[in-house]
């Protein structure tokens, strides 16, 4: 029973070897049937306890104690949704009242003329923030391990849904919808296991830029502010954007093409390419083709903000 409790989180949390295995369906099976499996093992514990107690009360009591400790740690200390919480109060301020430093990176969204910015330092802790922009409900997500920001409409089968952070798969955050209990990959909004496997959440166009650049484009934007309840959590991520954090999961490798190196990943239809961040910082503009479609990646003067431009071969302009 102790082994089962450990395995129940092993496959969906960043433990040695767990994130490099193709084990998502097994993890989902364990999670879906966890109470039945616990019941079976629990019955065996009850049936065997008296006999073991007669032989050695220390072994019997020690085993039960170890089981209870494991169950508590696994379900209340190592569970993703008990380590990361959504904001209790979503605070948004205009540029005049904003307290977020202008050089901070944000995920920016503009819908129907309404713009909002979500600082990465904040959403890297929350992993998801539910909001409404221009009358459209949105789910702003960020994976602190793979440094991927995505914004989706939380629509499942045509109905607005709520999600909880359930863990990760291959170092990318996963969410579970409350209705079908399917698990969704944060990087592209795809249901990777469960009854809705293969379906996609509608993605909303977003930009990852510095707040200063965002406000130059959207001066009337609202900016998410820190929730006072999580001030200490935000402080732990103060150096996150620079990649200088202490955690091996969230740190950055300054060299190119290492596991924790930064890249710009671009997917157009079924074709995709990864571009070295160090190269972009050096060259400022990278011209290339993805699936025979010419593109240009342009880095801003702040060395943080970048844009992907779809360009035509016969006429190419750069700002």
């Amino acid at each position: 029973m102790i082994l089962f409790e450990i395995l129940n989180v092993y496959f969906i949390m960043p433990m040695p070897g767990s994130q490099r295995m193709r084990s998502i369906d097994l993890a989902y099976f364990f999670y879906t049937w966890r109470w039945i499996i616990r019941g079976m093992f629990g019955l065996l514990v009850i049936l065997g306890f008296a006999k073991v107690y007669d032989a050695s009360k220390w072994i019997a009591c020690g085993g039960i104690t170890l089981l209870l400790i494991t169950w508590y740690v696994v379900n209340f200390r190592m569970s993703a949704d008990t380590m990361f919480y959504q904001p209790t109060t979503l605070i948004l301020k205009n540029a005049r009242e904003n307290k977020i430093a202008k050089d901070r990176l944000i995920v920016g969204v503009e819908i129907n003329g309404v713009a909002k910015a979500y600082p990465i330092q904040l959403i890297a802790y929350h992993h998801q923030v539910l909001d409404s922009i221009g009358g459209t409900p949105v789910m702003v997500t960020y994976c602190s391990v793979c440094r991927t920001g995505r914004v989706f409409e939380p629509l499942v089968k045509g109905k607005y849904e709520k999600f909880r952070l359930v863990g990760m798969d291959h170092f990318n955050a996963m969410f579970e919808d409350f209705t079908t209990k399917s698990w969704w990959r944060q990087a592209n909004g795809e249901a990777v296991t469960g009854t809705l496997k293969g379906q996609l959440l509608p993605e909303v166009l977003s930009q990852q830029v510095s707040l200063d650049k965002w406000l130059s484009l959207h001066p009337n934007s609202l900016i998410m502010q820190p929730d006072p309840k999580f001030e200490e959590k935000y402080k732990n991520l103060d150096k996150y954007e620079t990649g200088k954090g202490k955690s091996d999961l969230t740190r950055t490798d300054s060299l190119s093409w290492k596991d924790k190196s930064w890249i710009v990943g671009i997917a157009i239809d079924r074709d995709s390419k990864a571009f070295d961040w160090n190269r972009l910082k050096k060259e400022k503009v990278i011209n290339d083709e993805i699936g025979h479609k010419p593109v240009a990646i342009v880095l801003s003067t702040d060395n943080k903000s970048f844009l992907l431009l779809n360009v035509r071969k016969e006429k190419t302009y750069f700002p």
Side-chain angles (χ1 to χ4, degrees):
M1 191 168 184
I2 290 172
L3 179 60
F4 168 74
E5 291 296 338
I6 294 173
L7 289 177
N8 203 31
V9 298
Y10 172 79
F11 295 114
I12 57 174
M13 294 299 286
M15 297 184 180
S18 68
Q19 294 300 300
R20 300 184 184 278
M21 302 169 62
R22 294 185 178 275
S23 54
I24 189 65
D25 290 325
L26 179 61
Y28 189 74
F29 173 81
F30 281 161
Y31 184 81
T32 302
W33 295 95
R34 65 193 184 282
W35 287 111
I36 292 178
I37 296 173
R38 285 169 177 166
M40 293 170 57
F41 281 126
L43 180 61
L44 293 175
V45 169
I46 293 171
L47 293 174
F49 180 79
K51 187 174 182 179
V52 175
Y53 187 85
D54 289 339
S56 173
K57 64 179 181 180
W58 294 110
I59 292 178
C61 293
I64 292 296
T65 301
L66 182 59
L67 173 59
L68 293 175
I69 291 173
T70 302
W71 187 83
Y72 171 76
V73 170
V74 166
N75 292 281
F76 293 95
R77 304 297 294 181
M78 297 179 65
S79 176
D81 59 351
T82 61
M83 291 191 290
F84 307 101
Y85 295 91
Q86 292 187 52
T88 53
T89 304
L90 184 57
I91 305 171
L92 295 129
K93 301 287 187 181
N94 58 32
R96 183 180 300 178
E97 299 174 323
N98 166 60
K99 302 298 182 181
I100 301 296
K102 295 287 186 68
D103 63 344
R104 287 290 190 181
L105 285 172
I106 60 93
V107 172
V109 186
E110 187 272 331
I111 303 175
N112 297 328
V114 178
K116 292 185 180 181
Y118 303 86
I120 285 178
Q121 182 186 8
L122 308 186
I123 59 176
Y125 166 70
H126 295 297
H127 284 73
Q128 66 157 320
V129 173
L130 296 176
D131 199 1
S132 179
I133 304 176
T136 301
V138 296
M139 176 183 175
V140 183
T141 71
Y142 195 86
C143 178
S144 58
V145 174
C146 65
R147 295 178 179 267
T148 302
R150 289 290 185 273
V151 182
F152 305 100
E153 283 190 72
L155 279 172
V156 177
K157 292 185 174 181
K159 296 181 179 179
Y160 286 104
E161 183 63 89
K162 290 185 178 180
F163 295 80
R164 75 178 186 92
L165 182 67
V166 72
M168 66 170 59
D169 178 51
H170 287 81
F171 299 103
N172 181 235
M174 285 192 306
F175 297 101
E176 178 187 79
D177 69 77
F178 276 58
T179 301
T180 74
K181 306 299 182 182
S182 298
W183 288 357
W184 304 76
R185 180 182 290 137
Q186 181 270 343
N188 63 353
E190 179 187 6
V192 290
T193 190
T195 58
L196 300 182
K197 184 175 181 179
Q199 294 194 25
L200 293 168
L201 295 174
E203 187 168 3
V204 177
L205 182 66
S206 63
Q207 289 180 272
Q208 182 174 306
V209 296
S210 66
L211 179 57
D212 185 48
K213 291 294 182 183
W214 178 256
L215 289 176
S216 69
L217 297 170
H218 305 278
N220 295 321
S221 176
L222 294 175
I223 304 113
M224 179 183 173
Q225 305 295 299
D227 183 334
K229 183 177 180 179
F230 301 105
E231 287 287 355
E232 290 301 318
K233 301 293 185 181
Y234 300 146
K235 287 181 181 179
N236 293 336
L237 291 167
D238 189 56
K239 297 180 180 180
Y240 171 78
E241 293 168 35
T242 61
K244 297 179 180 179
K246 297 179 180 179
S247 170
D248 285 339
L249 281 172
T250 57
R251 67 172 178 81
T252 294
D253 197 317
S254 59
L255 299 177
S256 300
W257 305 118
K258 303 297 182 181
D259 283 348
K260 302 299 291 184
S261 300
W262 287 1
I263 59 98
V264 176
I266 302 171
I268 300 178
D269 299 327
R270 296 185 178 182
D271 299 298
S272 61
K273 277 189 180 180
F275 296 88
D276 177 28
W277 182 254
N278 289 332
R279 177 190 171 191
L280 182 60
K281 287 198 299 182
K282 179 181 179 180
E283 299 180 13
K284 306 303 180 184
V285 177
I286 297 177
N287 295 291
D288 207 322
E289 289 189 355
I290 301 177
H292 304 293
K293 297 178 181 179
V295 298
I297 309 171
V298 183
L299 183 66
S300 175
T301 53
D302 63 7
N303 282 332
K304 296 180 178 181
S305 311
F306 65 93
L307 291 175
L308 168 68
L309 304 178
N310 286 304
V311 296
R312 294 183 177 181
K313 290 183 178 181
E314 64 271 18
K315 291 184 179 180
T316 304
Y317 301 100
F318 298 107

